Amino acid sequence: MTAIKLENVCYAYEADGDKAAVNAVDGVSLEIEEGAFVAVVGHNGSGKSTLARLLNGLLLPDKGSVTVFGTDTRDEKNIYNVRSSVGMVFQNPDNQMVASVVEDDIAFGPENLGLQREEIIRRVDWALEQVGMSEYRKSTPFRMSGGQKQRLAIAGVLAIRPKVLVLDESTAMLDPKGRREVMDVIHALNKREKMSVIHITHYMEEVLEADRVIVMDGGRIALDDAPHAVFARGAELKKFRLAPPAVTLIADALAECGADIPRSVTTEEELEEAICRSLSKD
Ligand code: ADP
Ligand code: MG
């Protein structure tokens, strides 16, 4: 089933003072299947965040249409359904917290939905479990690591029970450990809960772990393909200010020298295993 469908979507920010109008999203057509894990990349100002906000009705298209599980986002009486179907996680976890105790923070979304207390508790339990933070339910988020805070931000969104999770550079402010924590959580949600994930990032290693990657350039989709197919374009990627991740470069270089390394390796661990396997054959 199609989760989200965009047909020829345009969105422009109006001119403001000496700033000219910008066509931030400029004729994007796109279909995202339920259960897909899609990475979105592109240089600063290429339209990624605008695209993200169009996906759940935070912004409405000037032209074209955005449909979420069959509902047009411009349909005012269904905007509530659209917003709860597509959850958004942003870059800075500190800006996404509303309460000083973890469980109150996670309960905020379901409380606003006007749910019964038992249901709220069930959802808080479930959401914390999904992000591996159950033992922190009575803690305060303020002293936590960036990765933990971002996992709580994800739990807060999960408590609304969205079918699609959109992460707008949610790993950008984290250290490598925190990034791994967040990636593990969103991959688990994708696999276990069949949640569709749209992950905007500038880390190319994270792109390798997606099913599909969309490259944005000047408000348009420049490339839309499997990560390996996109990275195989080599120098052409410079046009979009992108470069393949180190794992891909190393795997390709070794394969070129005749080593038996599959070009599909996605993580450092897989690369290490492939190298060891290849060496022990000789
Ligand atoms: P990205 O997330 O890829 O960096 P954005 O969607 O934030 O791209 O921005 C796309 C274009 O729209 C850029 O030229 C940016 O300057 C412009 N833009 C983004 N937000 C606003 C805004 N609130 N007002 C005016 N222009 C904006
Ligand atoms: Mg952005």
Side-chain angles (χ1 to χ4, degrees):
M1 188 187 181
T2 303
I4 299 181
K5 184 173 184 177
L6 277 70
E7 281 178 299
N8 206 12
V9 169
C10 297
Y11 185 89
Y13 293 101
E14 282 172 25
D16 180 16
D18 53 359
K19 278 206 238 152
V22 195
N23 293 321
V25 167
D26 192 12
V28 167
S29 295
L30 175 65
E31 261 184 65
I32 294 171
E33 282 300 303
E34 210 174 350
F37 195 115
V38 183
V40 179
V41 300
H43 55 79
N44 275 344
S46 59
K48 304 179 299 295
S49 294
T50 306
L51 180 69
R53 286 171 161 79
L54 284 160
L55 299 179
N56 81 337
L58 282 177
L59 296 176
L60 298 175
D62 299 331
K63 275 191 225 144
S65 65
V66 178
T67 318
V68 175
F69 293 99
T71 303
D72 192 311
T73 57
R74 280 169 310 194
D75 184 351
E76 270 174 44
K77 65 180 190 305
N78 284 317
I79 192 67
Y80 169 84
N81 285 343
V82 167
R83 297 247 172 103
S84 47
S85 297
V86 184
M88 295 270 285
V89 184
F90 296 98
Q91 191 177 83
N92 188 339
D94 290 324
N95 297 343
Q96 300 169 73
M97 266 165 224
V98 291
S100 55
V101 177
V102 165
E103 62 180 353
D104 298 342
D105 196 77
I106 312 300
F108 184 77
E111 271 165 4
N112 278 338
L113 296 178
L115 297 171
Q116 300 283 324
R117 200 176 140 67
E118 294 72 37
E119 176 62 14
I120 296 176
I121 294 171
R122 242 194 316 272
R123 287 188 180 205
V124 171
D125 287 344
W126 176 80
L128 285 173
E129 197 182 321
Q130 293 298 319
V131 300
M133 296 286 286
S134 298
E135 62 194 284
Y136 295 95
R137 84 176 287 148
K138 304 277 180 201
S139 311
T140 174
F142 299 124
R143 282 168 189 275
M144 290 182 183
S145 72
Q148 287 176 318
K149 284 182 187 170
Q150 201 58 294
R151 277 149 66 203
L152 288 180
I154 294 172
V157 172
L158 289 178
I160 300 163
R161 303 237 52 168
K163 295 189 191 129
V164 181
L165 204 54
V166 180
L167 301 109
D168 189 356
E169 307 220 24
S170 306
T171 54
M173 295 180 72
L174 307 181
D175 60 11
K177 182 169 171 285
R179 292 212 299 274
R180 191 64 259 160
E181 288 170 19
V182 167
M183 291 307 290
D184 287 346
V185 162
I186 61 177
H187 276 290
L189 285 164
N190 175 249
K191 294 216 169 65
R192 204 170 47 218
E193 305 291 320
K194 308 279 171 283
M195 199 170 277
S196 318
V197 176
I198 300 167
H199 178 49
I200 301 175
T201 182
H202 59 258
Y203 293 109
M204 295 303 129
E205 309 83 19
E206 296 177 359
V207 172
L208 272 184
E209 297 175 33
D211 305 325
R212 172 182 174 192
V213 52
I214 290 170
V215 179
M216 294 288 293
D217 186 40
R220 293 166 187 261
I221 295 180
L223 299 170
D224 180 354
D225 213 332
H228 282 93
V230 166
F231 291 132
R233 289 169 177 258
E236 193 201 329
L237 292 174
K238 288 205 183 104
K239 215 166 52 192
F240 311 117
R241 285 173 248 171
L242 298 175
V247 207
T248 306
L249 294 173
I250 296 169
D252 287 354
L254 289 169
E256 210 97 314
C257 300
D260 182 17
I261 307 283
R263 302 216 173 196
S264 57
V265 290
T266 56
T267 60
E268 283 175 28
E269 291 72 28
E270 276 177 37
L271 177 62
E272 198 178 315
E273 273 170 35
I275 295 172
C276 290
R277 227 180 303 120
S278 166
L279 289 174
S280 63
K281 268 186 199 156
D282 302 330

